[in-house]
Amino acid sequence: MFYKERDSFSVYKCFNKNCSLYISNKKKLNFSEKMLFSVKPFEFKLHYIFREYHFSEHQLVHSAPNSTAPITQIRNSLNTLALILTFHVSFAISARKTAYILREVFKLKLSYQSVLNYCEMTAYHCHNFNLAFKGPVDNTLAGDETYIKISGKRAYTFLFISSKNLKITANHIASSRDTLPATIAIKESIRTADPKDSMTIVTDGNPSYQDAVHFLNKPENGNHQLNLKQVIGLQNLDKVSEEFRPFKQLIERLNRTYKFHVRPAVGFASINGAIALTTLFVTHYNFLRPHMSLNYNVPVPLDFLKNIDTLPNRWAKLISTALQLPALA
């Protein structure tokens, strides 16, 4: 029987109290749960529930920056582009201040709009680079969403991080916190995981993650078995929150780092600009930024970057490598 409607799925519920599943679930309740059930039965899910999703696996498309113009149209050298990315992305300096530094320190006359345009051109290739060199992920991932402003309206960046090597495994931008963007982010986060591994996903109490995991656990939608652990609130009031709180704190720290890097933008004029800067942030975070907890190594070490001692030169080498990659989805 139809029960309720959501943006991403419809819920059907069996109300038959003679159903074997309902009777079996009711027998499993302990004394205190039975007392609570007699007063607040709506807090228990004992009946059979079926979700009919309004999207298919083919619609799970990860956000990617558009190619606004060929990067070959940049009328400056690769070293200049590397300087722009070093200041604007790695050091989280605004586009206007980046242009000012280039003009006053290096005598390079670029406008702040050129800085933004160059970043969008580069982000298209860095997106392919991020996907190609992402590598395997741990069997425990932490995820969360944080809000940004695009054209004055609130949007959300979904980020997932690997618990051991601390690499960002997914970054998806959407206009809502609903089931579809949560599903897209989780699917990308486990894309390179070993199919034999049982994956644990740690999130907050957003119900969209429950629905996303339910969708991805269907046999026709993948080989991974996902276990969702939701850390509720700020205090450890249950065993799950107590055990998995460190993973939730890990993603919260990543959110703060991400906000530090996008705050100088003071919002975005377009979604492509938001995706571009987020993509470049992931490139910086995974391949160029040393982590103290990793003994000052990067989450994804690459052999061709090891012996390069300056950040602009590493950006230049990374970009030249990205330009040689075939386009990915």
Side-chain angles (χ1 to χ4, degrees), residues 128-135 167 287 300 302 304 321-322 325:
N128 295 337
F129 185 91
N130 294 345
L131 296 180
F133 289 93
K134 177 180 170 181
K167 72 174 73 171
F287 306 103
V300 186
L302 300 175
F304 58 84
T321 304
L325 296 175

Side-chain angles (χ1 to χ4, degrees), residues 36-48:
L36 180 61
F37 178 75
S38 63
V39 180
K40 298 180 179 180
F42 53 84
E43 292 191 1
F44 296 83
K45 294 182 179 180
L46 305 182
H47 292 278
Y48 178 77

Side-chain angles (χ1 to χ4, degrees), residues 38-262:
S38 63
V39 180
K40 298 180 179 180
F42 53 84
E43 292 191 1
F44 296 83
K45 294 182 179 180
L46 305 182
H47 292 278
Y48 178 77
I49 296 177
F50 173 77
R51 292 181 180 89
E52 181 184 29
Y53 289 89
H54 300 163
F55 58 86
S56 64
E57 189 179 9
H58 301 292
Q59 295 174 264
L60 303 181
V61 180
H62 194 272
S63 59
N66 295 324
S67 178
T68 55
I71 198 171
T72 53
Q73 290 187 4
I74 292 179
R75 298 180 180 178
N76 285 281
S77 67
L78 181 60
N79 291 332
T80 300
L81 177 58
L83 282 175
I84 291 173
L85 297 174
T86 299
F87 290 121
H88 185 51
V89 179
S90 297
F91 294 157
I93 298 175
S94 69
R96 292 181 184 273
K97 286 186 178 180
T98 298
Y100 181 76
I101 291 172
L102 293 175
R103 183 171 63 252
E104 297 298 326
V105 178
F106 299 97
K107 299 300 180 182
L108 297 171
K109 295 183 179 180
L110 282 89
S111 67
Y112 82 94
Q113 188 60 52
S114 294
V115 171
L116 296 176
N117 292 343
Y118 285 11
C119 286
E120 290 191 17
M121 294 178 192
T122 309
Y124 173 77
H125 300 281
C126 283
H127 172 70
N128 295 337
F129 185 91
N130 294 345
L131 296 180
F133 289 93
K134 177 180 170 181
V137 299
D138 304 322
N139 56 7
T140 301
L141 304 172
D144 195 11
E145 75 284 345
T146 185
Y147 76 89
I148 56 176
K149 286 294 185 72
I150 301 177
S151 299
K153 297 181 180 179
R154 179 168 291 194
Y156 298 90
T157 300
F158 288 77
L159 295 172
F160 277 78
I161 187 171
S162 195
S163 60
K164 295 179 182 178
N165 52 34
L166 304 182
K167 72 174 73 171
I168 297 176
T169 58
N171 57 285
H172 180 66
I173 293 180
S175 59
S176 70
R177 305 165 63 209
D178 291 339
T179 303
L180 179 58
T183 307
I184 293 172
I186 294 177
K187 182 186 177 184
E188 171 56 29
S189 70
I190 64 173
R191 177 175 57 86
T192 57
D194 189 339
K196 299 178 182 178
D197 288 345
S198 178
M199 305 296 296
T200 299
I201 308 295
V202 182
T203 67
D204 59 11
N206 184 353
S208 296
Y209 295 115
Q210 293 180 348
D211 302 325
V213 168
H214 182 271
F215 176 85
L216 293 172
N217 274 340
K218 290 184 176 182
E220 64 269 22
N221 292 331
N223 299 322
H224 294 98
Q225 183 62 36
L226 304 180
N227 301 309
L228 180 65
K229 304 296 182 180
Q230 293 190 294
V231 179
I232 309 298
L234 301 176
Q235 297 179 346
N236 296 329
L237 302 179
D238 56 82
K239 292 183 179 180
V240 173
S241 295
E242 183 177 0
E243 180 180 357
F244 292 94
R245 176 74 60 182
F247 300 101
K248 185 65 172 66
Q249 292 171 337
L250 184 65
I251 187 62
E252 292 293 350
R253 287 196 294 271
L254 174 60
N255 279 343
R256 290 196 295 271
T257 303
Y258 171 72
K259 282 296 190 73
F260 172 79
H261 281 264
V262 301

